[in-house]
Amino acid sequence: EPEVTQTPSHQVTQMGQEVILRCVPISNHLYFYWYRQILGQKVEFLVSFYNNEISEKSEIFDDQFSVERPDGSNFTLKIRSTKLEDSAMYFCAPRGGTSGEETQYFGPGTRLLVL
Amino acid sequence: ELKVEQNPLFLSMQEGKNYTIYCNYSTTSDRLYWYRQDPGKSLESLFVLLSNGAVKQEGRLMASLDTKARLSTLHITAAVHDLSATYFCAVDISGTYKYIFGTGTRLKVLA
């Protein structure tokens, strides 16, 4: 089962500020996914990342969002100018598991609060 | 647009009872996943169902998939308090592992 750590665990920011959320895999993975969960609601797909490129993104993932793998291992999700509605839990999820039965293993998440 | 609906949304049950959570989805898929989420925590992978008729069991939980009916079930046998959590199903319609999650079922098992 792949493991990741996410930093920070909590972040409070002012509306309009930029935030960078980090995902650090324990071992090398090719496929990564970002999801968000607004408090008490369902989990929503944001973007998938394969081999250092975005492979798919949702309507939520607009121009304010970007993802990078700046140093070949860590992943970052950047929100350029945060809005109140960006307040949510953000999860990164590498794909892994038994070959033929792979799934996504969610990291511990970053709780973002935009004031 | 793919819709993934779970019912019930809330479930309060007594310890020792059996119950089933249903996950319906609107578009053809043969890849469905179940997750558990404790309050304030991340999602824990429970089951991977990858074909019609697939059945997986782990402890008091059993999941099944009927792709023709576009339905998955999560059956709880002899519930215990430790099973209290929110359970999500997720569907991958394109084979790209872009998961569309259900609305979630919040389960509370009363001692």
Side-chain angles (χ1 to χ4, degrees), chain B residues 29-109:
Chain B
S29 173
D30 58 3
R31 306 171 74 91
L32 190 137
Y33 307 83
W34 283 95
Y35 286 86
R36 167 185 171 142
Q37 186 178 39
D38 291 301
K41 302 292 185 183
S42 184
L43 286 89
E44 174 192 354
S45 176
L46 292 176
F47 297 109
V48 177
L49 303 169
L50 299 178
S51 61
N52 186 40
V55 177
K56 295 278 184 72
Q57 181 161 7
E58 182 72 35
R60 301 175 187 273
L61 300 178
M62 183 172 71
S64 66
L65 178 61
D66 181 343
T67 58
K68 292 178 182 172
R70 299 177 187 171
L71 170 69
S72 180
T73 61
L74 181 66
H75 186 72
I76 303 154
T77 302
V80 292
H81 183 258
D82 285 352
L83 290 179
S84 297
T86 298
Y87 293 85
F88 290 96
C89 62
V91 177
D92 171 13
I93 57 166
S94 57
T96 61
Y97 290 84
K98 171 188 171 183
Y99 289 1
I100 306 300
F101 277 81
T103 44
T105 295
R106 188 178 300 178
L107 171 66
K108 186 171 184 179
V109 181

